[in-house]
C-alpha cells in the first residue's frame, strides 16, 4: 500500500516477506471501489456518506525471472455488515455488484495479458451458503434477529412489494451472493478446500475467499 494512501481510504493491505520469499512486487497501488453515496434514514443513527471501500493490488514476479510469469493479486472488502445491510433493498441494492466490477476493472486495466489474477477478501456468501440451509442456520438467525427487525428494512420492503418474510429473505440472500456469482460469471474460479480456511463470518458462512482468473 503506498504510504500516501494510508490516511485517505478505508484500506486493505497485502504483505510479502522481505526475506526468504521467491516473489517480489514490481508494481502496487490502491483504488477506491465504493460509490460516493449518502445513506439516509438508517436505524442506529446510520446516516451520511457510505464508508469508503478500496482494493489494494500488487503485480508480483519471481525474483530470479524478470520476464515473469506474473501474478496480479487484489485484496478487497466489499460494503456490508450489520449496519450497512439494513440498506440492502434500496440504497445499497446494487452497490456490492458495482464494487466487484471496479475490482475487475483494475485487473483488466493494469494486468498483463498472461497475468494470473488472484482476488482475496470478502466477496460475500457463495450461493451454496444460501441453499438448503436449516432454519437454525446462523445466516437465517442473523436475518431473523437483526436484518428483518430494522425499521429501514421494514419500510423498504413495503415500497418494494416484499410482503412475506420468505420473499424478503430471498432478496437478502441475492444481495449477499450477487458479487460472488458475478465473479463466477466472468470466468473466475473460487478455490475451495484449502487447509486452514474456516468460517469467517458470524452469519455462519465463509466470508473470506480466494478466486483465480483461470484454472
Amino acid at each position: 500500500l503506498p504510504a500516501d494512501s494510508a490516511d485517505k481510504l478505508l484500506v486493505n493491505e497485502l504483505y510479502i516477506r522481505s526475506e526468504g520469499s521467491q516473489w517480489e512486487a514490481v508494481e502496487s497501488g490502491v483504488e477506491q471501489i465504493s460509490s460516493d453515496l449518502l445513506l439516509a434514514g438508517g436505524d442506529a443513527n446510520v446516516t451520511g456518506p457510505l464508508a469508503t471501500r478500496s482494493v489494494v493490488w500488487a503485480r508480483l514476479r519471481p525474483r530470479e525471472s524478470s520476464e515473469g510469469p506474473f501474478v496480479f493479486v487484489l485484496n478487497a472488502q466489499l460494503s456490508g455488515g450489520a449496519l450497512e445491510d439494513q440498506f440492502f433493498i434500496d440504497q445499497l441494492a446494487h452497490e456490492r455488484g458495482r464494487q466487484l466490477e471496479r475490482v475487475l476493472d483494475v485487473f483488466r486495466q493494469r494486468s498483463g495479458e498472461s497475468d494470473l489474477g488472484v482476488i482475496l477478501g470478502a466477496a460475500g456468501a457463495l450461493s451454496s451458503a444460501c441453499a438448503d440451509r436449516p432454519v437454525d442456520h446462523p445466516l437465517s438467525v442473523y436475518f431473523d434477529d437483526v436484518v428483518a427487525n430494522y425499521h429501514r428494512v421494514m419500510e423498504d420492503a413495503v415500497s418494494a412489494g416484499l410482503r412475506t418474510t420468505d420473499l424478503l429473505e430471498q432478496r437478502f440472500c441475492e444481495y449477499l451472493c450477487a458479487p460472488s456469482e458475478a465473479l463466477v460469471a466472468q470466468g473466475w474460479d473460487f478455490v475451495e478446500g484449502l487447509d486452514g480456511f474456516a468460517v469467517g463470518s458470524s452469519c455462519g458462512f465463509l466470508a473470506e475467499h480466494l478466486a483465480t482468473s483461470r484454472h
Side-chain angles (χ1 to χ4, degrees):
L1 175 70
D4 59 358
S5 297
D7 61 349
K8 296 179 181 179
L9 301 173
L10 177 62
V11 298
N12 315 298
E13 296 178 337
L14 291 170
Y15 294 88
I16 186 168
R17 293 195 307 271
S18 58
E19 297 181 3
S21 175
Q22 299 180 10
W23 295 84
E24 63 180 350
V26 294
E27 296 179 85
S28 64
V30 61
E31 305 285 346
Q32 180 174 334
I33 59 173
S34 54
S35 304
D36 295 325
L37 297 177
L38 288 175
L39 301 178
D43 291 32
N45 295 319
V46 178
T47 187
L50 175 66
T52 303
R53 301 285 177 162
S54 65
V55 57
V56 60
W57 59 268
R59 193 169 189 235
L60 309 178
R61 72 179 178 199
R63 290 185 181 276
E64 297 181 357
S65 176
S66 61
E67 301 300 320
F70 293 89
V71 178
F72 199 96
V73 183
L74 308 101
N75 182 12
Q77 309 288 324
L78 306 185
S79 291
L83 294 179
E84 293 177 340
D85 283 346
Q86 63 180 301
F87 300 99
F88 79 93
I89 298 174
D90 183 20
Q91 298 178 55
L92 294 183
H94 305 292
E95 174 63 15
R96 287 160 52 80
R98 294 190 186 104
Q99 291 177 15
L100 175 64
E101 187 59 36
R102 289 165 187 151
V103 172
L104 293 176
D105 283 344
V106 172
F107 175 71
R108 297 183 189 112
Q109 296 167 9
R110 297 185 177 275
S111 65
E113 183 176 353
S114 61
D115 288 6
L116 171 66
V118 176
I119 292 179
L120 306 164
L126 299 183
S127 56
S128 57
C130 288
D132 300 324
R133 65 187 185 281
V135 294
D136 60 348
H137 188 280
L139 178 56
S140 295
V141 174
Y142 169 64
F143 173 80
D144 291 335
D145 292 352
V146 180
V147 177
N149 289 314
Y150 280 122
H151 292 291
R152 176 74 279 143
V153 171
M154 296 177 189
E155 293 179 11
D156 289 345
V158 171
S159 298
L162 302 172
R163 301 189 182 279
T164 69
T165 301
D166 287 344
L167 288 174
L168 187 60
E169 188 169 1
Q170 179 182 346
R171 178 70 66 86
F172 181 63
C173 284
E174 291 171 355
Y175 156 86
L176 285 180
C177 297
S180 59
E181 292 183 350
L183 198 57
V184 171
Q186 292 290 327
W188 289 65
D189 295 305
F190 282 96
V191 177
E192 299 181 8
L194 293 179
D195 291 340
F197 269 47
V199 170
S201 167
S202 59
C203 297
F205 58 80
L206 180 60
E208 302 291 331
H209 298 291
L210 187 156
T212 59
S213 59
R214 61 176 183 268
H215 293 291

